[in-house]
Amino acid sequence: MKSIVVSAALLAVAGMAFAEPSCNVPKEKWMPEAQFKKQAEGQGYQIKTFKVNKGNCYEIYGTKDGKKVEHWFDPATGAQVTK
Protein backbone atom coordinates (compact mmCIF):
# COMPACT_ATOMS: atom_id res chain seq x y z
CA MET A 1 0.00 0.00 0.00
CA LYS A 2 2.81 2.39 0.90
CA SER A 3 4.47 1.88 -2.50
CA ILE A 4 1.22 2.82 -4.27
CA VAL A 5 1.01 6.10 -2.36
CA VAL A 6 4.66 6.90 -3.06
CA SER A 7 4.23 6.07 -6.77
CA ALA A 8 1.16 8.31 -7.04
CA ALA A 9 3.00 11.17 -5.36
CA LEU A 10 5.98 10.81 -7.69
CA LEU A 11 3.71 10.84 -10.75
CA ALA A 12 1.99 13.99 -9.52
CA VAL A 13 5.31 15.76 -8.98
CA ALA A 14 6.61 14.64 -12.38
CA GLY A 15 3.49 16.00 -14.05
CA MET A 16 3.97 19.40 -12.42
CA ALA A 17 7.62 19.51 -13.49
CA PHE A 18 6.62 19.23 -17.14
CA ALA A 19 3.68 21.63 -16.96
CA GLU A 20 3.91 24.63 -19.25
CA PRO A 21 2.48 28.05 -18.50
CA SER A 22 -0.81 29.20 -20.00
CA CYS A 23 -1.44 32.54 -21.67
CA ASN A 24 -5.12 33.42 -21.73
CA VAL A 25 -5.07 36.02 -24.48
CA PRO A 26 -7.57 36.17 -27.36
CA LYS A 27 -5.78 35.40 -30.64
CA GLU A 28 -6.88 38.71 -32.18
CA LYS A 29 -4.69 40.48 -29.59
CA TRP A 30 -1.56 38.43 -30.31
CA MET A 31 1.56 40.19 -31.58
CA PRO A 32 2.54 38.90 -35.04
CA GLU A 33 5.22 36.20 -34.80
CA ALA A 34 7.70 38.20 -36.88
CA GLN A 35 7.30 41.23 -34.61
CA PHE A 36 7.75 39.07 -31.49
CA LYS A 37 10.88 37.42 -32.90
CA LYS A 38 12.38 40.82 -33.74
CA GLN A 39 11.61 42.04 -30.21
CA ALA A 40 13.14 38.92 -28.62
CA GLU A 41 16.26 39.18 -30.78
CA GLY A 42 16.55 42.82 -29.71
CA GLN A 43 16.67 41.56 -26.12
CA GLY A 44 19.62 39.31 -26.96
CA TYR A 45 17.87 36.02 -27.73
CA GLN A 46 19.13 33.91 -30.61
CA ILE A 47 16.09 31.85 -31.53
CA LYS A 48 16.71 28.31 -32.74
CA THR A 49 13.10 27.09 -32.45
CA PHE A 50 9.88 29.06 -32.10
CA LYS A 51 6.45 27.58 -31.38
CA VAL A 52 3.14 28.18 -29.66
CA ASN A 53 2.81 25.85 -26.67
CA LYS A 54 -0.33 23.98 -25.59
CA GLY A 55 -1.14 26.85 -23.22
CA ASN A 56 -1.11 29.39 -26.10
CA CYS A 57 2.14 31.09 -25.09
CA TYR A 58 4.97 31.86 -27.48
CA GLU A 59 7.83 29.49 -26.66
CA ILE A 60 11.41 29.79 -27.81
CA TYR A 61 14.45 27.55 -27.63
CA GLY A 62 17.81 29.08 -28.30
CA THR A 63 20.55 31.00 -26.54
CA LYS A 64 20.99 34.23 -24.64
CA ASP A 65 24.33 35.45 -23.33
CA GLY A 66 25.89 32.19 -24.53
CA LYS A 67 23.54 30.01 -22.45
CA LYS A 68 20.82 27.67 -23.72
CA VAL A 69 17.31 28.87 -22.92
CA GLU A 70 13.74 27.67 -23.09
CA HIS A 71 11.38 30.53 -22.30
CA TRP A 72 7.67 31.29 -22.64
CA PHE A 73 6.22 34.67 -23.52
CA ASP A 74 2.83 36.37 -23.45
CA PRO A 75 1.79 36.50 -27.12
CA ALA A 76 0.16 39.93 -26.75
CA THR A 77 2.93 41.80 -24.91
CA GLY A 78 6.03 39.69 -25.47
CA ALA A 79 6.66 39.68 -21.70
CA GLN A 80 8.32 36.54 -20.36
CA VAL A 81 6.04 34.27 -18.30
CA THR A 82 7.04 31.58 -15.82
CA LYS A 83 5.74 28.11 -15.09
Side-chain angles (χ1 to χ4, degrees), residues 65-80:
D65 301 325
K67 297 178 184 175
K68 288 185 178 182
V69 295
E70 173 187 11
H71 289 304
W72 299 271
F73 298 86
D74 181 292
T77 65
Q80 186 175 343

Side-chain angles (χ1 to χ4, degrees), residues 45-49 60-64 67-70:
Y45 290 97
Q46 292 180 324
I47 301 170
K48 181 178 180 184
T49 304
I60 63 168
Y61 297 85
T63 59
K64 182 175 183 182
K67 297 178 184 175
K68 288 185 178 182
V69 295
E70 173 187 11

Side-chain angles (χ1 to χ4, degrees), residues 26-69:
K27 290 208 181 215
E28 63 270 6
K29 294 188 177 188
W30 285 20
M31 177 186 309
E33 292 178 18
Q35 181 181 345
F36 167 76
K37 289 177 182 178
K38 186 175 182 178
Q39 176 180 318
E41 290 168 351
Q43 295 172 356
Y45 290 97
Q46 292 180 324
I47 301 170
K48 181 178 180 184
T49 304
F50 169 88
K51 68 179 194 173
V52 176
N53 76 354
K54 292 178 183 175
N56 289 320
C57 297
Y58 284 164
E59 181 176 1
I60 63 168
Y61 297 85
T63 59
K64 182 175 183 182
D65 301 325
K67 297 178 184 175
K68 288 185 178 182
V69 295

